[in-house]
Structures are given as C-alpha cells and as structure tokens.
C-alpha cells in the first residue's frame, strides 16, 4: 500500500518545521498530501529561542527570505554561547568566561590547540578564531550588503518562537500547500496490529491517514499515550530538572549581545537571550539541590530586582528520550521525542535534523517503512546519546566546589561511558577528526575543542619544535589582526538589525 496521506499532529516550531521539510520534499509527488492538525487551546511553550547554524540551510531551502525572517520574528544574530562562571572563581577569577564560537577554530590550517596548551594565558577562543574579538565588541556577523544566509563570520539566530512558528506556518501553507486543520484530537484509534488507524477530532470528526507525525510536545499524545513507547531516563547523568522562565523588556537603544549568555550558578545555570525587543531569561536548576523559593530569589538577584513585577513561570524538565522514535506508522519529533535541557540549543537542532532526515528518506509504501524505521531509530538514538555526552561535558569538566551539585556532576557514575573513554584519550591527545567518525555527529570536533579548552582541559602534549612554535605564533597573531579588522569593518549588532528591518539585506 502506498503512503498517500501524512498528518502532523501539533503545531509550534516542531510541527511547522516538519511541515515545511515534508511539504517541500513531497510537493511534486502526485497524490501525496501533508496535513497539520493544530489545537486552538494549547499554546506553544515558546522558550526555545536559540538555534545553531544548521537552521540557515533549512530556512533557505524553504524559500524563506532572511530579511523577512529577521523582521517578523524579533530575530537577533547568535555567533556564540558565552559561558560565564562555569569554573571555580577562586582558581580562575570572578566572572571567568569562555566562548563556544560558531566559526571554525584554527582556520589557517595549523591546529593552534598545542600552541594554546603550551601557554594557556589567553582565552582559547581568542587564540584560534577572530570571531572572539568581534563577539566581545558586540559586532554583527555580516554587513547590510552581505547576501542572505551568508556572513563574514559564522552565525545562527535568537528568535521569538511563537512568531517563528507563525512564519513557518504561512510558508508551509502558501508554498507547499500544507493543509492546516484547527482541531483538538480527542482520541487516537489503533488497529488490530497496534498501528494508528485514525484520529478522532472535536470539529472534523474521525480522520484517517497513512503516516502520523507526533509533534504534541511533552504530552506525546500518540507515541506515549496511545502507542506506549517507553521513555529512556537520563536524569542520573544530566541533573537539572526545572526551569524558571521570564521575559524581560529592554530599551530599544540598548546594545544587543550577538551571543547567548549562559551563567552558571550554585545548582545549574541561567540562559540570557536578547531579542530585538526583550530578553528571554531562564533559571535552570536541580530541585535536588535547590528549592523553588531559592531559585526565585537568585533569579531576582541576577535581574537586579523586579522579578515580582514580571510574569514568570516554572517549567518541569523530564530528562531523556523515547526508546523508539519511529514505531509502527508513527514518528515523533520535537519534545515528543524527548528533552534533555536547553544548554547548547539542542531541541530545535534535533527537530530540524530529524525532520530533514524523514523528508529525505520518506517511505513511498508501507512495505518500505520497516527498513527506514529501523535506520531512523538507530540514527536518532546515536544522535541523542552524543548530545547527552556533549551537554554532560560542560558539567563534568567544571572544577567548581561551591555546592554538592557540581561535585556530584564529576562523579564517574554520572558520566556516560563513551564520554569517559574520550576524556581519557584526550588526556594525552588533542581531539581530531577521527574521534568523530559518524556522519551523524550532532556536535563535532570544533564544538568539543571550544568547550574542552574553554574549560581549561589539560591535555599533555609534546613540546612544539621551534619551527612549529614560530608558525603557530604567526597564524595566531594573524588571526588577532583579522579580528581587529573585522571589529572595525562590521556594524554594531543592533544597528544592523535596525537597518535590515527598515531596508532588508541589500544586494550589491
């Protein structure tokens, strides 16, 4: 039997990303339709406001204008995540920080990591990339005349998640003819083999499809409630389980950091994302080590007071992922697939990755579905496990001793075996490409380099020869000069955003 009718249950960023990926892939496929059912009563969570550079490729492939996207979704550019206080203040100074940049490290050919390891005086990122200087100067990654989705420096975006979902919805409906149904799904019916046979809705009655995409968020209406696919708990490795979130108004003339700020605290960390008109702030913590009242007090202190005048809310975080992401004729995406925590903006990243994978491997018939299901589950499990390891890396490398939270994060029993093996290897070898052998690495060599050595990991390497030292010093100094030049040439971040909103990106 051919697969002719595909339904996505749930809107928001996950649902509409899936709709655009599938809508584009199937647009010219005869007699195949894509429908998205969205509840009028369930608001989007709306805190997933950070992305990684891979999102640019998807947006461009959907035919979305970058200028329109920036203007309509309160977008700001994100060139990095700036991690503050993730190391012990007594050993590294109050306000210690490092950048996880989006530009490749050591772009001139020579790996400058051994040079940095021989000195360790400067911030690692400042040694290996000119983007460090541009970020610290609050510069945009491009000029008004730079083509859409291109830049002098690597970048992603901060965005208003609710407005982003609306833009994706408009694009999916108009460009790819995705049918949009407003209804609540009251029942999921299964057939004798345990597959989904139909959905019962409150306004459109019973609807039958061939393939069901579950984008119903934490509710996981189909994959969990109906199909009972088990959940793999990762709370013993990733210890945070709650977030206190708030939106903070900002002055229209206030400078905008071109990076996410991630500030560590006693039992977790705080994200601080500046959009063009407000900041999205989230206090992430573990309830085992901190109660809600203390979290409120600490967030209020971080904001300089006034939290009681703002609308804040708590979000529970169940940390883990589904045992299977594709089961029978149902595929789950977004928060229905799982959730780890907001560090490194992994939620939108994994959703975009999974939706693109399905679009490129769309099963034309039920007979072909089993093979693709098996492969998809293998790939996604690999991806989720690698994300668990990368997030854990930030915690287990910290030398903070001010609370049991940080001490417990270094307990070997909380560190994934594969991560422990790699860290042991990297005690005597600088990471290289061969350590990341899969095409499905969500975080790759450059990501690990920035975090490992941003957090002062002490790899013991052989001393550089005079020739190697001379070449590395020359390249590092040249990168510093490029950084200074970019700081002079690139516009201030808010200045560029204002020009894009008024005029759009201009072709030369």
């Amino acid at each position: 039997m051919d697969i002719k009718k595909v339904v996505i249950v749930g809107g928001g960023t996950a649902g509409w990303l899936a709709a655009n990926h599938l809508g584009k892939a199937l647009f010219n496929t005869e007699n195949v339709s894509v429908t998205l059912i969205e509840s009028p009563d369930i608001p989007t969570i709306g805190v997933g406001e950070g992305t990684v550079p891979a999102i640019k490729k998807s947006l461009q492939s959907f035919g979305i204008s970058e200028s329109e996207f920036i203007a309509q979704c309160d977008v700001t550019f994100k060139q990095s995540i700036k991690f503050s206080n993730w190391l012990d203040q007594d050993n590294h100074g109050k306000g210690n920080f490092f950048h996880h940049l989006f530009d490749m490290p050591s772009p001139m050919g020579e790996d400058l990591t051994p040079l940095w390891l021989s000195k360790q005086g400067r911030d690692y990122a400042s040694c290996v990339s000119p983007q460090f200087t541009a970020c610290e100067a609050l510069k945009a990654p491009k000029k008004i005349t730079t083509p859409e989705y291109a830049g002098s420096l690597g970048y992603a975006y901060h965005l208003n998640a609710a407005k982003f979902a609306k833009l994706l919805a408009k694009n999916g409906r108009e460009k790819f003819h995705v049918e949009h149904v407003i209804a609540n799904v009251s029942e999921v019916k299964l057939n004798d083999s345990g597959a989904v046979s139909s959905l019962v809705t409150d306004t459109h009655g019973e609807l039958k499809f061939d393939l069901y995409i579950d984008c119903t968020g934490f509710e996981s209406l189909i994959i969990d409630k109906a199909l009972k696919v088990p959940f793999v708990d990762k709370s013993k490795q990733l210890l945070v389980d709650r977030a206190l979130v708030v939106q903070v108004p900002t002055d229209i003339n206030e400078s905008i950091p071109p990076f996410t700020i991630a500030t560590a605290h006693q039992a977790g960390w705080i994200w601080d994302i500046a959009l063009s008109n407000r900041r999205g702030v989230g206090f992430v913590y573990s309830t085992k080590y901190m109660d809600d009242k203390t979290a409120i007090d600490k967030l209020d202190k971080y904001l300089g007071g006034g939290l009681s005048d703002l609308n804040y809310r708590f979000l529970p975080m169940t940390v883990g992922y589904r045992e299977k992401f594709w089961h029978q004729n149902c595929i789950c995406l977004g928060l229905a697939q799982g959730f780890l925590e907001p560090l490194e903006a992994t939620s939108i990243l994994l959703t975009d990755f999974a939706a693109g994978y399905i679009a490129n491997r769309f099963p034309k018939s039920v007979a072909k579905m089993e093979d693709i299901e098996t492969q998809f589950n293998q790939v996604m499990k690999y991806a989720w496990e690698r994300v668990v390891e990368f997030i854990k890396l930030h915690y287990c490398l910290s030398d903070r001793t001010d609370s049991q939270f940080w001490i417990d994060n270094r307990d070997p029993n909380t560190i994934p075996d594969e991560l422990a093996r790699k860290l042991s290897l990297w005690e005597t070898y600088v990471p290289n490409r061969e350590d990341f052998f899969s095409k499905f690495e969500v975080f790759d060599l450059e990501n690990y380099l920035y975090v490992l050595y941003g957090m002062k990991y002490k790899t013991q390497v052989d001393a550089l020869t005079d020739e190697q030292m001379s070449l590395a010093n020359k390249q590092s100094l040249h990168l510093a000069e490029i950084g200074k030049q970019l700081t002079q040439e690139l516009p201030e971040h808010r200045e560029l955003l204002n020009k894009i909103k008024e005029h759009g990106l201009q072709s030369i």
Side-chain angles (χ1 to χ4, degrees):
M1 184 181 80
D2 291 343
I3 295 176
K4 295 295 187 182
K5 299 180 68 177
V6 181
V7 66
I8 300 161
V9 184
T13 301
W16 285 110
L17 268 176
N20 277 270
H21 274 293
L22 287 168
K24 178 177 181 291
L26 302 173
F27 185 65
N28 293 318
T29 304
E30 189 176 358
N31 298 324
V32 177
S33 65
V34 178
T35 301
L36 186 143
I37 300 176
E38 187 168 22
S39 169
D41 303 322
I42 302 175
T44 57
I45 290 179
V47 296
E49 298 182 312
T51 61
V52 298
I55 195 68
K56 291 190 296 181
K57 182 179 179 181
S58 293
L59 296 179
Q60 191 170 21
S61 75
F62 299 158
I64 293 176
S65 158
E66 188 177 34
S67 298
E68 180 185 8
F69 166 56
I70 290 170
Q72 292 191 14
C73 299
D74 304 332
V75 167
T76 57
F77 291 109
K78 175 185 176 184
Q79 300 182 60
S80 167
I81 303 173
K82 183 175 182 176
F83 292 90
S84 178
N85 289 334
W86 283 73
L87 296 174
D88 190 277
Q89 294 187 15
D90 291 337
N91 297 330
H92 306 278
K94 188 175 183 180
N96 63 78
F97 71 90
F98 70 94
H99 277 280
H100 174 189
L101 299 173
F102 287 165
D103 254 9
M104 296 291 287
S106 306
M108 300 182 67
E110 189 75 13
D111 181 7
L112 299 179
T113 304
L115 172 67
W116 177 84
L117 285 166
S118 70
K119 297 182 177 181
Q120 291 201 26
R122 296 162 56 190
D123 183 281
Y124 175 76
S126 71
C127 176
V128 301
S129 174
Q131 190 169 40
F132 175 92
T133 304
C135 279
E136 284 295 292
L138 306 186
K139 295 294 184 173
K142 63 194 296 177
K143 302 176 184 179
I144 191 71
T145 53
T146 308
E148 292 199 340
Y149 298 110
S152 301
L153 296 165
Y155 67 89
Y157 311 100
H158 299 131
L159 51 85
N160 181 311
K163 291 183 178 181
F164 184 46
K166 289 181 180 178
L167 178 67
L168 290 172
K170 180 175 183 289
N171 195 75
R173 291 191 302 262
E174 294 180 359
K175 283 199 177 83
F176 307 128
H177 300 168
V178 175
E179 183 181 358
H180 189 192
V181 174
I182 303 297
N184 287 302
V185 176
S186 57
E187 184 182 355
V188 178
K189 290 188 174 183
L190 307 182
N191 61 25
D192 292 340
S193 65
V196 181
S197 61
S198 65
L199 304 173
V200 179
T201 69
D202 58 351
T203 56
H204 287 68
E206 187 171 352
L207 302 174
K208 292 180 177 291
F209 300 91
D210 303 315
L211 184 64
Y212 297 78
I213 314 292
D214 186 348
C215 293
T216 58
F218 290 128
E219 185 183 9
S220 305
L221 182 65
I222 305 175
I223 201 75
D224 178 28
K225 300 291 194 302
L227 296 178
K228 311 295 184 185
V229 174
F231 189 79
V232 179
D233 190 304
K234 288 294 177 180
S235 61
K236 291 182 179 179
Q237 296 173 333
L238 302 177
L239 308 185
V240 298
D241 60 0
R242 194 186 298 264
L244 172 61
V245 301
V246 66
Q247 295 179 358
V248 183
T250 55
D251 188 277
I252 59 171
N253 297 313
E254 193 174 326
S255 295
I256 302 174
F259 44 77
T260 297
I261 301 171
T263 303
H265 63 76
Q266 182 181 346
W269 63 282
I270 303 167
W271 81 70
D272 196 334
I273 292 175
L275 301 185
S276 57
N277 58 349
R278 63 168 169 82
R279 290 159 59 202
V281 181
F283 189 92
V284 182
Y285 62 105
S286 169
T287 55
K288 179 180 177 181
Y289 303 89
M290 181 178 289
D291 59 44
D292 292 345
K293 174 64 168 59
T294 304
I296 291 172
D297 291 342
K298 286 188 174 293
L299 180 57
D300 185 64
K301 182 178 180 181
Y302 175 85
L303 295 174
L307 179 61
S308 60
D309 298 326
L310 302 171
N311 294 320
Y312 60 85
R313 56 192 170 121
F314 290 96
L315 293 178
M317 297 192 299
T318 303
V319 178
Y321 56 80
R322 291 289 151 197
E323 189 176 272
K324 294 179 69 177
F325 311 97
W326 187 328
H327 181 59
Q328 296 275 11
N329 59 344
C330 174
I331 308 167
C332 59
L333 294 177
L335 297 176
Q337 242 188 29
F339 183 75
L340 298 178
E341 62 152 285
L343 196 67
E344 296 285 359
T346 59
S347 185
I348 292 177
L349 167 63
L350 284 167
T351 301
D352 189 43
F353 171 73
Y357 187 96
I358 296 165
N360 290 329
R361 285 286 185 274
F362 184 80
K364 293 182 173 61
S365 67
V366 173
K368 291 292 183 183
M369 194 148 42
E370 187 174 344
D371 290 340
I372 302 173
E373 172 190 335
T374 299
Q375 187 174 7
F376 181 76
N377 284 329
Q378 290 174 344
V379 167
M380 291 310 302
K381 182 178 181 180
Y382 183 89
W384 275 89
E385 282 294 332
R386 301 294 81 77
V387 171
V388 171
E389 292 169 11
F390 188 61
I391 292 176
K392 183 64 178 181
L393 180 74
H394 300 67
Y395 290 102
C396 70
L397 290 186
S398 176
D399 60 356
R400 286 183 64 143
T401 57
D402 56 315
S403 75
Q404 195 62 39
F405 171 81
W406 293 101
I407 295 169
D408 288 351
N409 262 297
R410 292 192 291 275
D411 183 338
N413 292 320
T414 72
I415 301 174
D417 291 343
E418 181 64 14
L419 175 59
R421 185 193 65 77
K422 287 176 181 175
L423 287 173
S424 178
L425 174 68
W426 295 333
E427 287 176 358
T428 48
Y429 299 95
V430 172
N432 62 25
R433 285 288 168 205
E434 286 69 34
D435 297 335
F436 304 89
F437 54 82
S438 171
K439 294 180 180 179
F440 302 110
E441 302 290 351
V442 181
F443 293 101
D444 221 321
L445 171 62
E446 57 273 13
N447 308 110
Y448 273 82
L449 288 173
Y450 280 125
V451 175
L452 275 171
Y453 300 117
M455 298 192 75
K456 314 296 185 186
Y457 194 69
K458 290 180 171 57
T459 302
Q460 302 299 317
V461 294
D462 295 335
L464 297 175
T465 65
D466 290 344
E467 184 180 354
Q468 289 172 326
M469 180 69 78
S470 176
L471 177 60
N473 271 319
K474 284 180 181 178
Q475 292 193 2
S476 184
L477 288 171
H478 186 53
L479 290 177
E481 287 300 316
I482 294 174
K484 291 178 183 177
Q485 184 178 349
L486 286 170
T487 301
Q488 294 172 353
E489 294 176 354
L490 290 170
E492 192 271 334
H493 188 196
R494 184 181 281 279
E495 174 192 347
L496 176 63
L497 293 170
N498 289 342
K499 286 183 178 179
I500 293 173
K501 288 179 180 179
E502 185 175 357
H503 306 291
L505 290 162
Q506 305 294 301
S507 300
I508 297 178

